[in-house]
Amino acid sequence: MRLPDEIRTRLADEFTFASERMREEGVPLRKLYFFSAVFGEVGRELNRHWDPTLALIHQVSNLAYQQINGRLQQIIAGDNTLPVGKELLAGLDETAAQLARMFCLEDIPDQDILNVLGRMSELSYATTGNGYYLLTRQRIQLKKPQ
């Protein structure tokens, strides 16, 4: 994916800021608040420059936010059936950091974007009933090999 330098640089800056704040933040809902900058800023940039891959980033990150936020809200309300652990949130931190690093490149490999979005989707899916089941069966791994 190639974007105009102004848009790519803006996204790199915002993603970097958000991912740094996410890593520093210990409160899950505040961590998720900073994560919302991913789809928020992409949405603003889509108004300036349409790109289907940016739209995909917007959709996947927005859905991830909604699913994880929904699960956290259920936990706050007293439903502790499906926990959202630190490893899952650390994985979300890493997806934001990976996007930030990618957007520093002039030409972002589509496969790299798809890999990050796949991981983001996997993490958010882990907060669903079936996703948690797959976590307990160790079919979804929260810690990825380095």
Side-chain angles (χ1 to χ4, degrees), residues 18-100:
S19 69
E20 288 171 355
R21 296 296 85 69
M22 287 174 69
R23 283 199 193 278
E24 295 168 359
E25 186 55 65
V27 177
L29 284 174
R30 287 202 299 253
K31 181 182 293 284
L32 204 54
Y33 165 78
F34 287 112
F35 178 76
S36 73
V38 171
F39 65 85
E41 192 58 36
V42 168
R44 286 184 281 281
E45 295 305 327
L46 282 170
N47 290 335
R48 297 175 55 206
H49 176 81
W50 173 254
D51 182 276
T53 304
L54 280 183
L56 182 62
I57 293 168
H58 180 274
Q59 293 296 98
V60 172
S61 60
N62 191 343
L63 180 58
Y65 170 87
Q66 289 176 31
Q67 283 187 296
I68 297 168
N69 184 55
R71 186 65 226 139
L72 291 173
Q73 294 301 328
Q74 290 173 327
I75 291 169
I76 290 168
D79 177 0
N80 293 313
T81 308
L82 309 175
V84 175
K86 290 180 182 184
E87 288 178 347
L88 187 142
L89 295 170
L92 196 63
D93 291 354
E94 184 53 33
T95 64
Q98 288 173 328
L99 281 176

Side-chain angles (χ1 to χ4, degrees), residues 85-137:
K86 290 180 182 184
E87 288 178 347
L88 187 142
L89 295 170
L92 196 63
D93 291 354
E94 184 53 33
T95 64
Q98 288 173 328
L99 281 176
R101 287 190 297 271
M102 274 188 251
F103 276 79
C104 291
L105 304 172
E106 286 186 28
D107 192 11
I108 306 163
D110 289 340
Q111 189 59 53
D112 290 354
I113 293 171
L114 291 176
N115 290 342
V116 171
L117 295 179
R119 179 63 172 156
M120 199 178 285
S121 179
E122 181 178 49
L123 292 166
S124 66
Y125 190 74
T127 67
T128 68
N130 193 60
Y132 185 70
Y133 175 79
L134 293 173
L135 272 174
T136 61
R137 297 288 313 250

